[in-house]
Amino acid sequence: MAGSVNRQVTLGARPVNYPRESDFILVESPVPEPDEGEVLVQTIWLSLDPYIRGRMRTVHAYATPMELGQVIVGGVVGRIIRSRTPAFSEGEIVEGSLGWQEYAVSDGSGLRRVDLELGPLSTALGVLGMPGMTAYFGFLEVGQPRTGDTVVVSAASGAVGQVVGQISRIMGCRTIGVAGSPAKIDYIINELGFDAGINYKTENVSDSLGAACPLGIDVYFDNVGGEVTDAVFDHLNLGARISLCGSISQYNQDEPEPGPRKMGLLVGRQAKAEGFLVSQFRDRHDEGRRRIATWMREGKIKYKEDVVEGLENAPRAFMGLMQGENFGKLLIKVSDE
Amino acid sequence: MAGSVNRQVTLGARPVNYPRESDFILVESPVPEPDEGEVLVQTIWLSLDPYIRGRMRTVHAYATPMELGQVIVGGVVGRIIRSRTPAFSEGEIVEGSLGWQEYAVSDGSGLRRVDLELGPLSTALGVLGMPGMTAYFGFLEVGQPRTGDTVVVSAASGAVGQVVGQISRIMGCRTIGVAGSPAKIDYIINELGFDAGINYKTENVSDSLGAACPLGIDVYFDNVGGEVTDAVFDHLNLGARISLCGSISQYNQDEPEPGPRKMGLLVGRQAKAEGFLVSQFRDRHDEGRRRIATWMREGKIKYKEDVVEGLENAPRAFMGLMQGENFGKLLIKVSDE
């Protein structure tokens, strides 16, 4: 079933500001052989996520930086095509952080068997994977929404934002999304049921938030940081919660971009901003997955994927992700299911 | 006992950036007569606190803005010199928000009888008053320190900071203060028992924090915002808590000063920044007061006051407070005890 050549994308250079094609190197090597106790996985789906940009830096932020020449990190859904451990059988579908490559050897320690009943394979990297868990726990546990609250989510049509907004709707919260194109705004309102959408590229976000949130903002789920977040600060209610998930607007700045100092506004608002990582809630991911799968079956949670074919196109797709060019969860289809 | 003239300081103009003498007007009027149900209070001590600067703005931040011509707001300890209500007797000492004036009429609703056993009268505006309660609840409830944590407090010799640092020492936390003069640094280390002090005017704060906090920072009690807070962000531990009390470095900027965007660092650190107001904990102030009074009796909490004589000197003293020129809790002695 395996070919003889393994294609991999490695880190050629650390990007300066936005990543460029030359920062990535496509290399070929023989398909590796699993040792005793290991499995060989063939990649089907590769997940491209904003956190990867942080791993390309020398600065230790979320996790250990990648080394130059290392295969780029990334979540994968793949098939076990050889097994030398009783823990996995050939043909099983697993999810794990196996990186930008067509084949990977693993000792199985970071692999999770994908429950094929819950949804299509690709959802194990999206709505039922890391982004979905990020949305579920970051919104409910960190954002602490209450029914009737006004909720704002940035990068609202992205892998995490789309799930946050739909859970917010399920809870009975007024839900406003910020996104970067008319098609994305149309999607979150007319397909996902958001109450309003704001195009940060064409609108004055603070003015639009004022109009869309007449009762102020109780929860802000922040994927972007920067100017959108500045605008949210103008409308925070007493006791507001900001769930800090990411700040993609800043990931491609080598020095922190200057912006107005607004953190002091949290004092008078008796409000908080709290960062989290999805791994904090690792022990409860199965709970989150079951809840979201149930909502999917009930038609209450939909999802949108942005699929690019072929590992060789991952660098360009990732560059687009950094610019907000993707529409929905960005996935590379590396091989057929 | 009362003279016939009441001197008051009113808001003459809204300050542009740092307040100037001409923003304040000293006016004279007859000493008011209490109506049925009211008392006349003679001011003994007037408290000057940073929050007052916020009330001079048109923007609604902590509370309703002052009007031009209004007596400047401020906490007072005074003596009841006429009472037309059974609730208070002549001669009693009370504390309340009676403003920058020598005499005030009150219906008693905002007055608190001062417990003369707990400490000198002036402490009802300092270590046993609003600043002390701000320190006690803002540090313990919002900062959530644990024994062994490393704690950093800015404006460390100020009314709030000095109490935060000493409670931190009582708890067994490594305690680092940031302040603005060699005398202040000497005081917090050698009188109050801080483990280290950093002079933000002469040192590279981030470098000094790195040296003083080899295990990183677990709790930051922030009175100042701005560049000192930026430096703290470089050293936050996983799960760090920032208790946002104020941001005096920004109060005299008409537009938010630009600074590096660092809030996104809270994500990877799984850390939070939470604003609070002392009024949140109103129902528990008696608890805080008793605890601090006990520590004072045990010699575990000391305090430093910066006393200026005469109501007419309040504007200049307040201008100095905005520049960090005070050393300890700033009080105006308006009349003899």
Side-chain angles (χ1 to χ4, degrees), chain A residues 47-87:
Chain A
S47 179
L48 298 189
D49 300 281
Y51 76 85
I52 296 169
R53 180 65 183 85
R55 300 287 296 276
M56 293 177 174
R57 297 175 181 278
T58 51
V59 181
H60 190 295
Y62 288 63
T64 317
M66 284 189 278
E67 299 298 329
L68 292 179
Q70 190 185 325
V71 173
I72 311 275
V73 295
V76 156
V77 164
R79 179 175 285 109
I80 308 272
I81 57 172
R82 274 204 68 190
S83 178
R84 296 186 62 188
T85 161

Side-chain angles (χ1 to χ4, degrees), chain A residues 60-62 222 225-227 229-230 233 238 242 244-247 249-251 256-277 279-280, chain B residues 60-62 222 225-227 229-230 233 238 242 244-247 249-251 256-277 279-280:
Chain A
H60 190 295
Y62 288 63
D222 188 13
E227 293 180 8
T229 301
D230 294 343
F233 267 74
L238 280 179
I242 298 177
L244 295 169
C245 176
S247 47
S249 73
Q250 307 304 302
Y251 291 167
E257 180 191 58
R261 294 182 186 282
K262 290 195 156 184
M263 206 169 66
L265 292 172
L266 297 178
V267 178
R269 302 283 88 196
Q270 298 161 256
K272 74 172 172 184
E274 182 167 358
F276 73 95
L277 297 178
S279 52
Q280 272 172 255
Chain B
H60 189 295
Y62 288 63
D222 186 14
E227 292 178 8
T229 301
D230 294 343
F233 267 74
L238 279 179
I242 299 177
L244 294 170
C245 176
S247 47
S249 73
Q250 307 304 303
Y251 292 169
E257 182 190 56
R261 295 183 186 281
K262 290 195 156 186
M263 205 167 67
L265 292 172
L266 298 179
V267 178
R269 301 284 90 194
Q270 298 163 255
K272 74 173 172 181
E274 181 167 359
F276 73 96
L277 297 178
S279 53
Q280 272 171 255

